[in-house]
Amino acid sequence: GITTAIVSLTKAEAVAQGRALAALTVDRPVTADDLARALGMPVASLSAALTGLELKGLVRRHPGGAWTRALG
C-alpha cells in the first residue's frame, strides 16, 4: 500500500517559518546569514525553516545561498 507521512512542526519551527516567510520578498534575494542576523535567529534554525518552506513551495533558493519568496 501507499504510506503517507505527516510531519508536524513544533511551535518553535512554525514560528521560525512564519518569521522567515514574512521577512522575505519576491524581488530581493537575501542570504540565510543576513536574514538570521536581521531576525535575531540562529542560522541553523533559520536554515531548517527555509528548507521546510522550500519543500512547501513557498520560498526559492538562488545561487550563492540567497532566498526569496516564491511567486504565486
Side-chain angles (χ1 to χ4, degrees):
I2 297 174
T3 303
T4 302
I6 299 174
V7 178
S8 86
L9 298 175
T10 66
K11 183 177 179 181
E13 291 166 334
V15 168
Q17 284 190 0
R19 290 181 67 203
L21 190 59
L24 290 171
T25 64
V26 296
D27 60 349
R28 189 172 52 90
V30 63
T31 66
D33 287 342
D34 288 343
L35 189 57
R37 193 170 17 265
L39 295 175
M41 294 174 62
V43 175
S45 298
L46 181 64
S47 293
L50 290 170
T51 299
L53 291 168
E54 182 181 30
L55 292 172
K56 295 175 185 176
L58 298 174
V59 299
R60 287 186 53 215
R61 185 187 320 238
H62 297 272
W67 295 84
T68 60
R69 268 187 190 235
L71 292 174

